[in-house]
Amino acid sequence: MMPGDLIGFLFIGACMLVVIVIVALIFRKRKKVTLVISTLLIISYSIYFFAFPSIQQYKHKKSYAELSEYLQQQYPTQQFNVIPEEYELGIAAGDFYINDVRTPNRGVMMRVKDNKQVVQIATWSNPVEKQQDVWQELLLHYNEIYQLGQSIDKIQKLAYYEDGRFTVFGLKVDENLAIAVFDYFEGGYSLQRIEEFAYADVIHTIHNEQLLVFVTDDNTASTLEIMLENGEQRSLDVMPKQAQILVEDL
């Protein structure tokens, strides 16, 4: 039961006491009438109080089915985690935490109203724990307000490289490619650099005296020739048809 529900019951109980007092004053010479009315009010209140959890469970189960149907209709190609499936104390009946299965650390809270209308009422996020998942923080970098169905496909991880704290991601952002560099350390991480490029088979950038090369799976060559800004040319061996990140000291 939510704190608001308890407050509601206290309010109803206080109102009922006022009604009982008024009835007692009106029928002060007819004590049996006062007793009958008071007893009926107390019994009705008690039945509703003890039946309330079961009512909430039924409402939540019905809302879950309605939400599942809504998600299937609105986002037929996506898969979601939806909790809680069963009514739980501390969560209002009809409220659900939802996330796309590909972004388990970020999602929304949705509410199914009595008229079957589904609305987003909040967003939520969990700290990213795995080094290979910190790229998901870029969803906030590109979007101030996260909404279900929006930005799930805006950013896709295509390649990944790590060396200790040094972490590099090859990403697709809309129709562009991007290289994102993170510093991952115990207790947190920080975005060091992100750079977008027009879509190509191969893109590169320089970070902290290192050449970072992002090769998409569209590339068919086994050797790459990279021309640096200073005119120097680097030759790199790669695996054809495989998304990958190459890191080379300058």
Side-chain angles (χ1 to χ4, degrees):
M1 188 176 295
M2 298 288 289
D5 297 329
L6 290 174
I7 294 173
F9 274 109
L10 290 173
F11 178 76
I12 293 173
C15 292
M16 189 178 66
L17 288 176
V18 172
V19 171
I20 291 174
V21 171
I22 294 174
V23 169
L25 292 174
I26 294 175
F27 299 100
R28 57 181 176 271
K29 294 183 179 180
R30 302 174 64 184
K31 294 183 178 180
K32 288 186 178 181
V33 175
T34 301
L35 180 60
V36 170
I37 294 177
S38 300
T39 301
L40 289 174
L41 287 173
I42 293 173
I43 291 175
S44 299
Y45 178 83
S46 300
I47 291 175
Y48 181 64
F49 180 84
F50 289 108
F52 185 76
S54 298
I55 295 173
Q56 295 298 87
Q57 289 175 3
Y58 171 78
K59 177 182 177 182
H60 193 82
K61 185 176 182 180
K62 181 180 178 182
S63 296
Y64 183 87
E66 293 170 351
L67 177 62
S68 299
E69 182 180 355
Y70 170 84
L71 293 175
Q72 180 62 35
Q73 292 177 351
Q74 296 296 319
Y75 313 103
T77 61
Q78 293 177 237
Q79 292 184 330
F80 299 97
N81 294 320
V82 181
I83 58 173
E85 183 174 350
E86 300 290 338
Y87 174 68
E88 295 180 1
L89 295 178
I91 299 179
D95 286 359
F96 301 89
Y97 293 95
I98 307 171
N99 68 276
D100 187 284
V101 294
R102 292 169 294 175
T103 54
N105 296 297
R106 189 174 308 283
V108 301
M109 191 173 188
M110 304 195 80
R111 174 172 295 163
V112 180
K113 296 186 176 181
D114 292 336
N115 60 359
K116 297 185 179 182
Q117 182 183 6
V118 179
V119 296
Q120 178 177 319
I121 59 175
T123 61
W124 60 266
S125 63
N126 294 324
V128 178
E129 298 179 356
K130 295 182 180 179
Q131 187 169 1
Q132 62 266 31
D133 292 334
V134 297
W135 67 274
Q136 294 179 16
E137 291 301 308
L138 294 172
L139 292 172
L140 283 181
H141 178 84
Y142 286 97
N143 301 278
E144 295 181 359
I145 301 177
Y146 179 83
Q147 294 186 1
L148 193 67
Q150 175 185 355
S151 307
I152 293 295
D153 293 320
K154 182 179 180 68
I155 306 175
Q156 300 178 45
K157 182 179 76 171
L158 302 181
Y160 167 69
Y161 171 90
E162 71 172 74
D163 182 7
R165 293 172 47 158
F166 183 57
T167 313
V168 185
F169 295 95
L171 307 167
K172 183 179 180 182
V173 182
D174 286 332
E175 298 303 319
N176 295 330
L177 295 182
I179 294 178
V181 181
F182 284 85
D183 179 24
Y184 184 89
F185 48 90
E186 184 177 356
Y189 46 85
S190 65
L191 176 63
Q192 300 291 302
R193 178 189 185 94
I194 182 167
E195 190 169 349
E196 286 191 45
F197 304 83
Y199 196 93
D201 292 348
V202 180
I203 61 175
H204 71 275
T205 189
I206 296 175
H207 178 73
N208 288 347
E209 302 300 319
Q210 288 183 306
L211 173 64
L212 309 179
V213 181
F214 172 27
V215 185
T216 72
D217 56 9
D218 291 329
N219 173 66
T220 57
S222 57
T223 302
L224 300 177
E225 300 295 333
I226 304 296
M227 182 67 69
L228 305 181
E229 292 182 356
N230 60 7
E232 180 183 355
Q233 185 167 311
R234 292 291 182 102
S235 180
L236 303 173
D237 293 329
V238 297
M239 294 290 294
K241 291 292 183 178
Q242 180 176 318
Q244 57 202 288
I245 291 176
L246 308 175
V247 178
E248 184 169 308
D249 294 331
L250 297 177

